Amino acid sequence: MRAPLSWIRDYVDLPADLTADELAHRLTMLGLKLEALERPGHDMTGPLVLGRVLEFVEEPQSNGKTIRWCQVDVADANGTGEPQGIVCGALNFAVGDLVVVILPGGVLPGGFEISARKTYGHVSAGMICSARELELGEDHDGIMVLPPDAGEPGDDAFGVLPLRDEVIEFEINPDRAYALSLRGVAREAALEYAVHGDGATYHDPADRPVPEPNAEGYPVVVDDLEGCPVFVARRVTGLDPQAPTPLWMARRIQLAGMRPISLAVDITNYVMLEMGHPIHGYDAARLAGPIRVRRATEGEHLTTLDDADRVLSAEDLVVCDDSGPIGLGGVMGGATTEMSETTTDVLVEVASWDPVSMFRTGRRHKLTSEAGKRNERGVDPTIPEAAADRVVELLVAHGGGIAHPGVTKVGRAPAPRTITIDVDLPARISGIEIAAETTVSSLEAVGCEVAVEGDRLTATVPPWRTDLTDPYDLVEEVVRIVGYDRVPSVLPPAPAGRGLTRDQRLRRRVGRTLAGAGYVEVLSFPFVGVDDLDRLGLDAADERRTVLTLANPLSSEQPSMTTTLLPGLLETAARNAGRGQADVALFETATVTLPHEAGPAPILPVDRRPSEGEFADLDKALPAQPLHLGLVVAGERERSGWWGPGRAAGWQDAVGAVREVARALGVEVEVRAVTRAPWHPGRCAEVRAGDVLLGHAGELHPKVCRAYGVPARTAAAEVDLDALLRLAVDVTPAPSFSSYPVAREDVALVVASTVTAAEVEQALRDGAGDLLESVRLFDVYEGDQAGEGRKSLAFRLRFRAPDRTLTVEETSAARDAAVAVAAERCGAVQRA
């Protein structure tokens, strides 16, 4: 809500020296959130004066343009009293017209400094201004011609025109609909000065005498009084359709963030901004018979003011005449009865609508309007007569119309709501010492009528506060008036014996492990599109292509929830590579979304607590969202330099990182070669813990690297972190150490090329017995000496006993037992 300070002052007697900054601060402390402060016109400096055109000569130019060499009377503003010679390209003015002239030395908005300069063969000493150049409107086709009685030549334009103002823009929460008006903002300003200042008298623009309803009014029938509890109609005839909108009104509408259109439309918008109650005007000559408010018939059509043909729902409230729907009640009018440049007979509608119906209609038709924004939040149902009378008054005053004596009113405002609370409830909830008298006076200050009985009070809610519905709303009102800054900042003591949960501790362990290994954590958007999955090279039948698509995505290119973390990680790696940082090691822990065939989620009731069964049905409909760990490593894993060449990252880094995480969690994992997109065939491994498949790691396929723009031979891994955490050891037992010497044995085993090193390693572990401390593969040989289709794997075995020094015989026996099991399981033959 944009509120010009000059407009606020119309309704509340603020101190003359009050600035917009100070008022914004005071209102922010009262609960209206400041969005922005603007000072339109304050970058404009004079001399800017009124001038009267004395004469002009039209001079056609070689470029086809015609200019006017004008003599303009600016009195003594130019220091000589002589007419000012000015070149003007506009042709919409005549001799004797009163115009706005900026003289040399003046500055227009945007820092445009005016000086005398030669143009079209003349020295133009100034400029005749258009409305757009003065930021008084969008019209730039011609200069701005003022009414003859606006002033005299030489008068300072700043004193005649509304050029300078201060505008406070508030971010209005949905529950404070009353503040979507100058009436509401001014009321808050008066409240602030009444409570924390010397007082400021408030002048309610809706507090005005209005004529009583009578039989001469336009016929209106309301079929649904719950959807439209109040409908008021007034009529103005004989309107001059060419009458201009007063400059002050157009300027205020513009500063409030709306666009001036025509007098009749501008007046309805002006009163809506003033009082907060939406208003609609019909061209009465285009109405066919009485007005009727009803629910739409399913499938009915209505063309709204935005020229959209809308198919109506049976839940929509519509305004009709004998021709059918002519407006979407409370949201937007229809095109068939729109006021135009020929309208001379206006029917003014001011109605109160059911906020829930307004909200649903707006969302159903994806239609947002200033009227709908206010109606769906709730407006004061007691002021339609005052708002309608104000519109009639302005149409008569500025459009030359005649107020029709007829006044129509159907329905009445709902009875005011009452709320009963303990007098000390605001003090108990806020932790502030608030006396009973302060509670009562605070509620009265916001407009409530308060009756106290013992230690209880009953507040009758004012009609403009549709947001006050329960006791804690009254608590908030008292606290905001007493001062949010007085609420003590007290941290509740943490219960003894609690801390991080098991999963929190384990997830932090994972992060510390990868950070220690040189990886950097990133956070990616959880959305993907078909193109992201195509670039991964996934088959059409791949389960990762089964995605959950959002009804209202942030981006049409990525409308679905991701089933894998790799697209986001690869995009991040590519972005770094594109900015010259190709050596990256990234990881991310985040959920993925795995939809299943469970049908749509049920809509739970809002009038009661859902049952356990209803909660269970809701849970069944939700997709699985397991926590995954993804990582990408590219470029140099070990930097090169003067000390020698570095080492490029490879598949072994991705596999090693997963092993390191598993080791930190106390989980034994096995790694086996498999083929799976997006990894390179033959350079991809699956990671298992027993029978549980945890994920995959390896080098990405070259096509995937090119598609994402990451360095060649980039490696990646993705594992199901939830599954890994379920197997993890919460408290890892401390290792036992032996002080006795270690015995080392190296064995080289020749096996078939199809046998994996992991299978041979496991066989050696199983055969070596309890004396084995560790086993490590340190060499792989595939050559003529190994034989065709075979390879040699060299392992280093470390043996150690906890209570003695091992003999050569014990070490040899353990080694031979390990080799024997490898020979039996894997067909291994020991090389001499």
Side-chain angles (χ1 to χ4, degrees), residues 159-218:
V160 176
L161 301 175
L163 295 171
R164 289 175 177 164
D165 209 329
E166 294 180 285
V167 179
I168 310 173
E169 183 175 356
F170 297 103
E171 180 183 328
I172 305 301
N173 292 334
D175 62 333
R176 297 198 181 275
Y178 67 94
L180 288 171
S181 67
L182 272 297
R183 179 190 187 218
V185 173
R187 190 189 301 275
E188 290 290 285
L191 172 62
E192 165 62 23
Y193 274 86
V195 175
H196 300 122
D198 297 330
T201 304
Y202 174 65
H203 309 282
D204 188 351
D207 184 11
R208 56 188 292 124
V210 295
E212 292 293 327
N214 55 56
E216 299 179 62
Y218 198 89

Side-chain angles (χ1 to χ4, degrees), residues 87-101:
V87 173
C88 183
L91 307 176
N92 68 314
F93 59 94
V95 171
D97 281 347
L98 195 64
V99 296
V100 181
V101 178

Side-chain angles (χ1 to χ4, degrees), residues 1 28 74 267 345 350 353 410 680:
M1 176 64 194
T28 298
V74 294
I267 285 175
D345 191 352
V350 185
W353 305 91
V410 179
H680 194 300

Side-chain angles (χ1 to χ4, degrees), residues 2-312:
R2 294 169 56 87
L5 182 57
S6 63
W7 202 351
I8 297 174
R9 289 183 181 276
D10 281 359
Y11 313 123
V12 58
D13 298 333
L14 297 171
D17 59 348
L18 178 70
T19 64
D21 299 79
E22 183 180 352
L23 180 60
H25 174 72
R26 284 174 170 267
L27 292 179
T28 298
M29 297 304 293
L30 202 58
L32 294 184
K33 182 180 177 183
L34 176 65
E35 182 74 13
L37 269 175
E38 297 179 11
R39 292 178 173 81
H42 284 256
D43 59 346
M44 193 187 319
T45 59
L48 183 69
V49 299
L50 303 190
R52 194 174 303 279
V53 180
L54 300 177
E55 62 178 358
F56 58 79
V57 178
E58 293 189 352
E59 299 179 355
Q61 303 297 312
S62 59
N63 59 6
K65 183 178 180 181
T66 298
I67 62 98
R68 286 179 173 180
W69 170 239
C70 308
Q71 298 298 316
V72 184
D73 177 14
V74 294
D76 294 329
N78 58 5
T80 65
E82 297 294 324
Q84 197 82 351
I86 298 175
V87 173
C88 183
L91 307 176
N92 68 314
F93 59 94
V95 171
D97 281 347
L98 195 64
V99 296
V100 181
V101 178
I102 186 165
L103 300 176
V107 179
L108 289 174
F112 182 39
E113 186 173 354
I114 303 300
S115 61
R117 63 189 182 92
K118 188 172 183 179
T119 179
Y120 294 109
H122 302 281
V123 176
S124 182
M127 186 173 77
I128 305 175
C129 301
S130 70
R132 186 175 177 184
E133 288 160 345
L134 297 173
E135 292 189 340
L136 291 177
E138 295 299 319
D139 185 9
H140 194 55
D141 295 332
I143 60 98
M144 185 171 66
V145 178
L146 301 179
D149 58 351
E152 296 296 330
D155 287 351
D156 187 359
F158 290 107
V160 176
L161 301 175
L163 295 171
R164 289 175 177 164
D165 209 329
E166 294 180 285
V167 179
I168 310 173
E169 183 175 356
F170 297 103
E171 180 183 328
I172 305 301
N173 292 334
D175 62 333
R176 297 198 181 275
Y178 67 94
L180 288 171
S181 67
L182 272 297
R183 179 190 187 218
V185 173
R187 190 189 301 275
E188 290 290 285
L191 172 62
E192 165 62 23
Y193 274 86
V195 175
H196 300 122
D198 297 330
T201 304
Y202 174 65
H203 309 282
D204 188 351
D207 184 11
R208 56 188 292 124
V210 295
E212 292 293 327
N214 55 56
E216 299 179 62
Y218 198 89
V220 175
V221 178
V222 178
D223 292 339
D224 189 341
L225 284 173
E226 290 187 1
C228 179
V230 182
F231 192 105
V232 172
R234 295 284 301 275
R235 191 170 182 175
V236 175
T237 60
L239 185 72
D240 178 5
Q242 303 304 317
T245 301
L247 187 59
W248 61 267
M249 181 183 294
R251 179 60 165 167
R252 284 185 169 182
I253 291 172
Q254 179 194 36
L255 293 178
M258 300 183 71
R259 182 171 59 90
I261 299 173
S262 65
L263 176 64
V265 174
D266 291 345
I267 285 175
T268 60
N269 286 335
Y270 180 84
V271 177
M272 178 188 69
L273 293 168
E274 180 181 56
M275 296 193 184
H277 207 303
I279 299 154
H280 185 66
Y282 300 93
D283 186 334
R286 302 170 73 178
L287 290 172
I291 283 180
R292 180 178 294 273
V293 179
R294 60 172 173 84
R295 295 285 176 175
T297 302
E298 191 71 36
E300 271 188 302
H301 285 255
L302 169 67
T303 301
T304 46
L305 291 174
D306 56 357
D307 293 325
D309 181 21
R310 303 187 183 277
V311 181
L312 304 179

Side-chain angles (χ1 to χ4, degrees), residues 557-581:
E557 296 179 354
Q558 294 180 317
S560 304
M561 300 296 292
T562 189
T563 56
T564 168
L565 300 182
L566 294 182
L569 284 166
L570 292 174
E571 290 282 2
T572 304
R575 192 175 303 113
N576 278 270
R579 295 174 181 175
Q581 186 60 40

Side-chain angles (χ1 to χ4, degrees), residues 755-768:
V755 178
T756 64
E759 293 173 317
V760 179
E761 179 182 329
Q762 189 60 46
L764 292 173
R765 287 182 181 278
D766 293 343

